[in-house]
Amino acid sequence: SSQDVAKTLACYFTGSTKINTFAAFAKYIGETGVHFTPQHFKALGYDSSEFLKRDVFTRTSISDSEVEQFRDALKSFATAGLSRAPTTVHARRLASSLFGRDPYDGFEPTISAPILHGWNGDHKSLVEAVRSRKPKVIFDVGVWLGQSTATLAKAQIHAQFDGTVIAIDPFLGSPQHWSPARSDVHDLLNFKHGRPNFYETFLSNMVLLGLRERVFPLAQTTANAAAILAKHEIRADLIHLDAHSTYSDVLRDIETYWDLLEPGGLMIGDDFQFPGVSRAVVHFSDRIGVSYSVSFPKWQMVKPSL
């Protein structure tokens, strides 16, 4: 409802910037209207503006570095406003019934900058899927540190204001992660008292990226999470599967979460290059008679509409 905010967002989405001056050459109007009452108008000081009688501007140019500073400030304003957009009723209901409170309440980031280590979590097919389908509810199954979660949530912000990404992971790591030989991954498990402690890193990433109002963490196994979501009658418009790579586990995840996918919804998964994953996708596709496509290494299939 604000022209200024609309112009700011337009500049953000087009990569432009704008500069407002504080010099007033005209009198504010609108003392009474949709947004103002005389009391509000006066409280904000619009009734006491001092007018300039002559041009006092001395700047003839603005440097590139100054323009970048303006753009950074505009981006911070725009993305902060977008990330504060309301979450769906599903996330509020889950937070209330499962935790009794916002899962981020009282949490302070444990890192100073996001750590988005991952594999294919920023793949273009994730952004394209959100942009084209505009899903209100997304399940991200197997999130690690949240690279794919952040990609989906940011794409959702740009596609529409209202939405939720439910991030599902036990946050314990896979057997491969536990190998000291994989020092790049093993160190990120952040062991404390013999237990991985990277859930805090995931939460920190979401807070630092301004996504806490949109991303709902569900720290559970894929099977338990599916049962919880089914019990609360929460279904998704888009589901991203990236929790397992063995045939039996992947097939079970596809079958389980297919039932939680809305008719017409999209299921997209990772790691089609692994034999266990590709076999599970092909066998499930053949069994239910729904074709799949591959944008390597992502695979996807659409659930038929009713």
Side-chain angles (χ1 to χ4, degrees):
S1 63
S2 167
Q3 295 180 59
D4 288 333
V5 172
K7 287 184 287 186
T8 296
L9 292 176
C11 287
Y12 168 65
F13 285 123
T14 59
S16 309
T17 191
K18 65 172 184 167
I19 300 171
N20 291 342
T21 69
F22 287 100
F25 292 98
K27 181 180 179 181
Y28 282 103
I29 61 174
E31 183 174 347
T32 301
V34 175
H35 302 291
F36 278 103
T37 63
Q39 294 78 15
H40 188 46
F41 188 85
K42 184 176 181 179
L44 293 176
Y46 288 116
D47 65 329
S48 58
S49 296
E50 294 185 11
F51 309 123
L52 292 177
K53 303 300 183 182
R54 58 187 177 84
D55 192 340
V56 296
F57 297 107
T58 58
R59 294 292 297 273
T60 58
S61 65
I62 299 175
S63 68
D64 290 343
S65 62
E66 287 176 311
V67 171
E68 288 304 314
Q69 289 178 2
F70 296 146
R71 283 182 178 156
D72 288 342
L74 184 146
K75 180 180 179 181
S76 297
F77 172 83
T79 54
L82 291 174
S83 67
R84 286 196 299 271
T87 55
T88 63
V89 66
H90 307 87
R92 290 194 294 271
R93 190 198 323 159
L94 271 178
S96 176
S97 59
L98 297 181
F99 308 137
R101 60 187 298 186
D102 183 336
Y104 295 92
D105 276 356
F107 176 78
E108 294 294 335
T110 57
I111 52 179
S112 58
I115 301 175
L116 290 179
H117 176 279
W119 306 268
N120 310 316
D122 55 357
H123 195 273
K124 65 179 182 179
S125 62
L126 296 178
V127 176
E128 291 171 354
V130 175
R131 182 183 299 144
S132 62
R133 309 186 75 85
K134 295 179 172 56
K136 280 187 173 292
V137 181
I138 300 173
F139 295 167
D140 192 14
V141 186
V143 303
W144 182 224
L145 299 181
Q147 185 186 69
S148 58
T149 306
T151 298
L152 291 165
K154 289 179 179 179
Q156 192 184 56
I157 287 172
H158 286 80
Q160 62 177 52
F161 286 177
D162 187 24
T164 303
V165 180
I166 298 178
I168 299 164
D169 199 300
F171 297 98
L172 294 174
S174 71
Q176 292 81 8
H177 294 161
W178 281 59
S179 172
R182 294 281 306 273
S183 59
D184 59 325
V185 178
H186 189 268
D187 291 346
L188 292 173
L189 289 171
N190 192 24
F191 280 100
K192 289 185 179 179
H193 310 297
R195 181 182 183 279
N197 196 46
F198 65 91
Y199 177 58
E200 284 75 8
T201 306
F202 172 84
L203 291 182
S204 297
N205 284 336
M206 297 305 105
V207 171
L208 293 172
L209 292 170
L211 299 174
R212 61 171 289 170
E213 299 295 331
R214 186 170 295 266
V215 174
F216 178 86
L218 186 52
Q220 271 290 356
T221 63
T222 56
N224 285 350
I228 291 169
L229 294 167
K231 180 178 180 180
H232 289 269
E233 299 181 340
I234 296 176
R235 299 161 69 87
D237 307 299
L238 187 153
I239 297 176
H240 176 235
L241 296 180
D242 189 18
H244 298 104
S245 57
T246 62
Y247 171 78
S248 59
D249 288 335
V250 174
L251 183 60
R252 183 182 65 245
D253 285 348
I254 295 174
E255 292 172 338
T256 301
Y257 282 90
W258 189 258
D259 290 339
L260 295 175
L261 184 63
E262 293 281 11
L266 175 69
M267 177 173 284
I268 183 169
D270 196 32
D271 297 328
F272 194 77
Q273 74 274 20
F274 294 148
V277 175
S278 55
R279 282 179 55 219
V281 173
V282 171
H283 289 176
F284 182 78
S285 172
D286 288 346
R287 178 161 32 108
I288 66 171
V290 173
S291 62
Y292 67 91
S293 61
V294 178
S295 178
F296 197 80
K298 299 290 186 184
W299 58 268
Q300 56 185 285
M301 59 179 76
V302 177
K303 187 171 185 177
S305 301
L306 296 176

